[in-house]
Amino acid sequence: LCSFGICIGRAASDCIACQRGVRPGCCHNFISPSPLPSSPFTMSSTAHKTAEEYREFIDKPEVLERKVELLAQMVRSSKHFIAFTGAGVSTSAGIPDFRSGVNTVLDTGAGVWTQRAVEERTGKQFKHKSKRRVTSTMKAIATPTHMALVQLQKANLLKFLISQNTDGLHRRSGFPRTHLAELHGNTNLEVCKRCGHQYLRDYRTRTARRVHDHETGRMCTKDECGGMLHDSIINFGENLPETELQAGFQHSREADLCLAMGSSLRVTPAADMPAEVGENPNANLVIVNLQSTPLDDVATLRINGKTDDVMRLLMQKLELPIPEFRLRRFITLSHSVTKDNKQRVKSCELRITSHEADSTPTSMLAGAAVLSPVDDKHVIAQFRRKGRYARSKIQFTMQQQRQLDAMRFAKAGASDDDGKEETGEEEGENLSSNQQSEKKKKKKKKKKKNKVCTVRIDWMGHYNEPSVLLDCYDDTMTVGLEYNPMKGTWTTVSDE
């Protein structure tokens, strides 16, 4: 072993960790180009070793006020402001971090690696001292810190966000992927290795049991690519994604301000990004964390506290609101009918696709049903999700389509009769012949949309989302929806 006990069969002069004098805790791929299965180095070994490392610091209110005022001044004057986030920004959402101590002030309790290190040392299952408040990453609600970052980016203050988190909350919060680098992957994201197309899911994409096996069993559907999809999680001993890595370092070199929050800043090469800003004499590194970090000495400002407390105060000083978390969904409905040469219905199909605002395909439906245009309780056809394989279309039989057409035409006829009775001839009496002629021309130009059916959309329901009824017309249409998890209500939004 080398002097740190990491790289088997290598001399200390060949080990990057030994050359730099860092302690074990960096990604194994940074130390060795190819993972060594027999290496004794595990992530639990990155847990803190001393009481001083576990110690948490919290600034007094008046001290916090002064420090955040200084941070606000830096943000206002910055030309290229970036943020760097770790697990600490998600603890208030109920997702545990990795290195918090047994006596942490956080409601999520001891960190994951801390628990494992204790279990390995004692041989007993870890027991928390008090009741924890934890939740699944799929049900977690983006924190004030997440939403403040969204607002800072919208205000054109924050230029780029680098994250070590895999919980997917940054993308779910609405932070644009074009300004985000998820260095360690996203538990809800899978990628085609053939064409690079991404798919967001409303479930964890990882299905493999072996650590370095990332195939999910699903195939790419973009332009009939057919490539195998892989989860995007970066496990111990694996290379970080090249695109995210390059973007992170590029923005770190350009940055004149980096706000690093909720990270121990011990895992490289990720931690090398804020370190590059800290070592730049013309840039400022600001660290917000409860525990000390290896980069404290190169930081311009060190703020001791919880990230939500700091971000609330910062946004007040910048006079910017922190938006409430809303779950955004975009649904595209497309109805098509195939007829034979005698114009008889041959096959019918309703295609339902979901996507992000940036057009990234998503899987978020538990099922869907085609309802009668006359009675939305009468189901014509439907599908339900089976396992983790999503269907995107509902196929009709000819008999079902004829039944649907009959109901639609019957309702359309009733509506026309009602319209005639209501308008009568009085409306035209007050118009000149030229005005009446213009009105008729406008009516001809305006193509009337024909309502085909009503579609009921059933969600996966991680946030207890109720089903939504959407009107489907005889052309392709996209509907943007926004869900308030606090009120349990949906509203329509524009596709931005």
Side-chain angles (χ1 to χ4, degrees), residues 141-142 147 173 321-327 482 484-487:
I141 291 177
M147 300 312 298
S173 69
I322 298 179
E324 293 184 356
F325 171 66
R326 295 290 184 269
L327 191 66
E482 195 173 75
N484 184 337
M486 301 303 176
K487 295 182 178 180

Side-chain angles (χ1 to χ4, degrees), residues 169-199:
L169 281 180
H170 280 306
R171 287 190 68 162
R172 214 176 307 163
S173 69
F175 201 95
R177 69 167 180 166
T178 52
H179 294 75
L180 170 68
E182 293 178 303
L183 298 179
H184 296 161
N186 183 325
T187 189
N188 307 124
L189 183 70
E190 54 186 337
V191 182
C192 175
K193 291 298 182 181
R194 181 180 295 176
C195 70
H197 201 55
Q198 295 185 352
Y199 297 82

Side-chain angles (χ1 to χ4, degrees), residues 98 113 131 185 193 205 236 285 300 340 348 382 391 412 433:
F98 295 98
W113 303 143
K131 190 175 181 180
K193 291 298 182 181
T205 59
F236 171 62
L285 171 63
T300 307
D340 59 19
C348 317
Q382 64 180 328
R391 290 178 60 185
S433 57

Side-chain angles (χ1 to χ4, degrees), residues 125-192:
Q125 185 176 0
F126 184 85
K127 291 184 179 181
H128 295 275
K129 289 187 176 181
S130 60
K131 190 175 181 180
R132 298 189 302 159
R133 187 183 69 83
V134 297
T135 189
S136 162
T137 56
M138 294 307 308
K139 297 182 178 181
I141 291 177
T143 69
T145 298
H146 289 96
M147 300 312 298
L149 292 171
V150 171
Q151 184 63 34
L152 287 169
Q153 191 279 327
K154 283 184 178 180
N156 201 31
L157 292 172
L158 181 63
K159 306 303 182 184
F160 200 75
L161 172 60
I162 305 167
S163 181
Q164 297 172 288
N165 297 343
T166 63
D167 53 36
L169 281 180
H170 280 306
R171 287 190 68 162
R172 214 176 307 163
S173 69
F175 201 95
R177 69 167 180 166
T178 52
H179 294 75
L180 170 68
E182 293 178 303
L183 298 179
H184 296 161
N186 183 325
T187 189
N188 307 124
L189 183 70
E190 54 186 337
V191 182
C192 175

Side-chain angles (χ1 to χ4, degrees), residues 116-408:
R116 292 189 186 179
V118 171
E119 290 174 345
E120 290 176 5
R121 187 173 66 250
T122 63
K124 298 179 181 180
Q125 185 176 0
F126 184 85
K127 291 184 179 181
H128 295 275
K129 289 187 176 181
S130 60
K131 190 175 181 180
R132 298 189 302 159
R133 187 183 69 83
V134 297
T135 189
S136 162
T137 56
M138 294 307 308
K139 297 182 178 181
I141 291 177
T143 69
T145 298
H146 289 96
M147 300 312 298
L149 292 171
V150 171
Q151 184 63 34
L152 287 169
Q153 191 279 327
K154 283 184 178 180
N156 201 31
L157 292 172
L158 181 63
K159 306 303 182 184
F160 200 75
L161 172 60
I162 305 167
S163 181
Q164 297 172 288
N165 297 343
T166 63
D167 53 36
L169 281 180
H170 280 306
R171 287 190 68 162
R172 214 176 307 163
S173 69
F175 201 95
R177 69 167 180 166
T178 52
H179 294 75
L180 170 68
E182 293 178 303
L183 298 179
H184 296 161
N186 183 325
T187 189
N188 307 124
L189 183 70
E190 54 186 337
V191 182
C192 175
K193 291 298 182 181
R194 181 180 295 176
C195 70
H197 201 55
Q198 295 185 352
Y199 297 82
L200 269 177
R201 312 297 191 187
D202 248 15
Y203 48 81
R204 291 184 179 87
T205 59
R206 185 161 177 76
T207 58
R209 295 190 177 185
R210 291 180 295 177
V211 175
H212 300 299
D213 181 9
H214 292 277
E215 291 186 356
T216 65
R218 290 175 287 272
M219 312 296 286
C220 179
T221 57
K222 179 178 172 59
D223 300 328
E224 299 181 354
C225 167
M228 182 65 70
L229 298 183
H230 291 66
D231 70 67
S232 59
I233 296 299
I234 305 300
N235 289 318
F236 171 62
E238 297 174 340
N239 294 323
L240 270 62
E242 191 65 26
T243 301
E244 281 76 6
L245 198 63
Q246 289 182 359
F249 275 114
Q250 178 63 33
H251 283 278
S252 297
R253 285 189 288 269
E254 296 177 10
D256 56 8
L257 173 62
C258 175
L259 177 59
M261 298 185 289
S263 174
S264 65
L265 301 177
R266 296 175 184 271
V267 177
T268 57
D272 289 333
M273 297 176 189
E276 187 152 348
V277 180
E279 292 166 358
N280 182 352
N282 299 315
N284 294 310
L285 171 63
V286 178
I287 298 174
V288 180
N289 205 46
L290 288 171
Q291 298 173 343
S292 60
T293 79
L295 299 184
D296 289 350
D297 291 340
V298 296
T300 307
L301 180 64
R302 157 80 202 205
I303 303 177
N304 305 301
K306 298 179 179 179
T307 59
D308 285 351
D309 295 339
V310 173
M311 292 307 290
R312 285 193 187 99
L313 189 54
L314 173 63
M315 297 301 278
Q316 287 177 12
K317 293 184 178 298
L318 294 175
E319 297 181 343
L320 291 173
I322 298 179
E324 293 184 356
F325 171 66
R326 295 290 184 269
L327 191 66
R328 286 191 135 196
R329 305 300 199 194
F330 292 91
I331 302 292
T332 298
L333 304 174
S334 178
H335 177 264
S336 61
V337 175
T338 303
K339 297 182 179 181
D340 59 19
N341 54 4
K342 294 183 179 181
Q343 293 302 303
R344 292 177 300 190
V345 176
K346 187 176 180 181
S347 63
C348 317
E349 181 178 287
L350 175 64
R351 186 170 292 273
I352 306 172
T353 56
S354 55
H355 57 88
E356 293 283 281
D358 61 7
S359 300
T360 301
T362 62
S363 293
M364 58 183 69
L365 305 184
V370 175
L371 309 178
S372 161
V374 179
D375 180 7
D376 59 20
K377 292 183 180 179
H378 180 61
V379 177
I380 302 295
Q382 64 180 328
F383 79 83
R384 302 298 300 175
R385 174 184 293 276
K386 291 184 179 180
R388 291 185 173 180
Y389 291 88
R391 290 178 60 185
S392 62
K393 59 187 177 182
I394 301 177
Q395 292 179 322
F396 305 80
T397 63
M398 287 186 289
Q399 183 179 359
Q400 288 172 323
Q401 182 64 41
R402 286 168 185 159
Q403 180 185 9
L404 194 60
D405 287 341
M407 291 179 176
R408 177 162 58 90

